Amino acid sequence: QVQLVESGGGMVQAGGSLRLSCAYSGRSGDTYALGWFRHAPSKEREFIAHISSNGRVKYSADSVRGRFTISRDNAKNGVYLQMTSLKPEDTAVYYCAARRLGVTTAADLYDYWGRGTQVTVSS
């Protein structure tokens, strides 16, 4: 069992930055791949980025590449999403998720999810 708790969301103006954090705890949490997803009203859940258990493999969606950066610190049991040049279309609830069997962009294949943190970008 892995528990995930997101934080760092809030309201920011377009062009601004935010850093989301996700604290993970539980058995062998540092052996799990971690991902960030978002869900905006009237839209499907969207993959944002993932990172392997050792941090060596990272991948970001085209929609955020060059603006968002995923990282993790296993010593602190944390995964982070640094978001820059934010746009109104980035407004959504952001979730982190953990998967035992490695990285994937498919949300349905993740084993555990946090409750999310709201990000609102005003124009």
Side-chain angles (χ1 to χ4, degrees), residues 18-115:
L18 280 175
R19 185 178 188 243
L20 304 184
S21 299
C22 176
Y24 55 86
S25 60
R27 186 172 182 175
S28 302
D30 57 354
T31 65
Y32 282 65
L34 297 165
W36 283 99
F37 293 80
R38 66 187 179 189
H39 194 186
S42 304
K43 294 184 179 179
E44 293 186 355
R45 183 170 47 186
E46 179 185 8
F47 165 80
I48 298 301
H50 63 49
I51 188 167
S52 61
S53 59
N54 61 11
R56 293 176 184 171
V57 177
K58 304 178 186 180
Y59 180 75
S60 300
D62 290 346
S63 59
V64 303
R65 194 172 301 139
R67 300 190 298 124
F68 293 9
T69 302
I70 190 170
S71 62
R72 71 187 291 168
D73 185 341
N74 285 341
K76 297 181 178 180
N77 287 0
V79 61
Y80 311 98
L81 188 68
Q82 179 67 49
M83 306 186 295
T84 63
S85 301
L86 282 161
K87 305 174 182 180
E89 51 263 44
D90 294 319
T91 295
V93 178
Y94 284 71
Y95 299 88
C96 68
R99 183 173 190 257
R100 188 172 64 85
L101 296 180
V103 294
T104 178
T105 61
D108 291 347
L109 296 180
Y110 280 79
D111 303 303
Y112 303 102
W113 290 81
R115 293 189 174 187

